[in-house]
Amino acid sequence: MRTRTAAVALVAATALVLAGCSGGGSGGQSGDHKITFMGWGSPQEVSVFKDLIAQYEEAYPGVEVEYISVPAADFSTKLQTMIASKKVPDVFYLTPENVMPYAKSGIIADLSDYVSDNEIFDEANVWPNAIDMYRYDGTTPGEGAIYGLPKDIGPFALAYNKDLFAQAGVTAPDPGSPWTWDEFVAAAKKLTSGSGSDKVYGSAPYSLESAVWSNGADWLNADHTKVTVTDPKFVEALQWVADLGLKEGVVPSSEEESSLGSFQRFLDGKIGMMGIGPWSQGQFWDEASFDWDIMPWPVSPETRTQATWYGGIGFAVANSSKNQDDAANLAAFLAFNAEAQKTNMEKGQAIPNLIDMAKDDYLAMDKAPENKEEFLRIVEDYGRRATQTYTYNSEWFTVFNADVASVMLGEKTAAEYAEQVQPEMQQLLDEGIAEQGE
């Protein structure tokens, strides 16, 4: 942990970044340093980060950033290999699931001083949920020290193809009046048509988080110590999601998903509705040949409660970095600098971390979606962070997902699968709780 004297110096350096300096910067005090930054992303995201890094290097002419882009599927393995070989990147993407173990093992630095005690950065102007995903006080996630600065916050909204809706005579719900599940199914049936390569489905596979939470259930109990997937409300939601394909025929089968994913089907104009995050906007702007928008997630008829998840990736700074000042400045620049945030927003990669920019500049953009407010409503109102981010490890959640496809395929009922998988999930959850307390 750095001393208070060092922290003050670091905050002063960061203040220049957060003020949006262009040219000069603190290059003189940083010296000729090289730092590494490792992440993943689509070609559009890689292009955005090359631009942002160029902006940072202009502000800090004494610092050179080596940008390492790794395929998302390989990132975790590569990072673990680099950690084991003591060659951790100076700055790297941090998932909320890794905050607790990485903080406990000393892999990532405490960045609390970069979001407090300075005259430039207003913590009240950043989505609290975006920062809280990287807080940990040694016991409770979401509280205490900050071990990552938010790359973004990703509200998961329900997109729809406006052209297909018009052709099928379906009217999207008003933002404040979500459909019930029954109304969603009715609309999805109207949108489903054709066969073979011309098949159009009403919906992509539905968000299980949205269904489970809207039905008043969750994977774990309130203090995240007990697996609750056998709760009848959970089972009902899981079966409803599976039956969208098994009984209603309005979503692609698992086999069809394997041959052509719903994301591409949506871009091809052959999916009526699909869950998306803001990171998809840029690709939709470039590739979608139809009008699209987002709408509120449907609600369980039992509860009438809206629910969906928001995610995010953070920027972590390695405790082992030899140029920790420069690395922390890069993380702060990417997370908070107004010009960097504007670049990210205008290229369709994220809603801004800065609340005033999100509510002014972002909402005023003349690009889809028209109902941008829905993204903000999810962040401020009905979105939730994923349950597995509240536990020391997420192996219990991985086990749940390992064979949930058997329910989607109709090989097992939701009740059968929940009874089968619950004991192993509980064992792994207990092991994580014990490891956290060691």
Side-chain angles (χ1 to χ4, degrees), residues 236-270:
E236 180 184 31
L238 175 56
Q239 192 64 60
W240 180 79
V241 169
D243 285 346
L244 291 175
L246 297 174
K247 293 184 177 181
E248 309 296 353
V250 297
V251 303
S253 67
S254 298
E255 184 178 13
E256 289 171 313
E257 278 288 296
S258 298
S259 64
L260 182 65
S262 286
F263 188 88
Q264 188 59 50
R265 287 180 189 271
F266 188 82
L267 284 175
D268 291 345
K270 294 182 178 180

Side-chain angles (χ1 to χ4, degrees), residues 71-93:
D74 301 331
F75 184 87
S76 180
T77 299
K78 184 172 180 64
L79 180 59
Q80 291 301 321
T81 299
M82 297 175 82
I83 290 172
S85 61
K86 301 186 185 302
K87 296 180 180 179
V88 187
D90 296 282
V91 182
F92 57 91
Y93 280 7

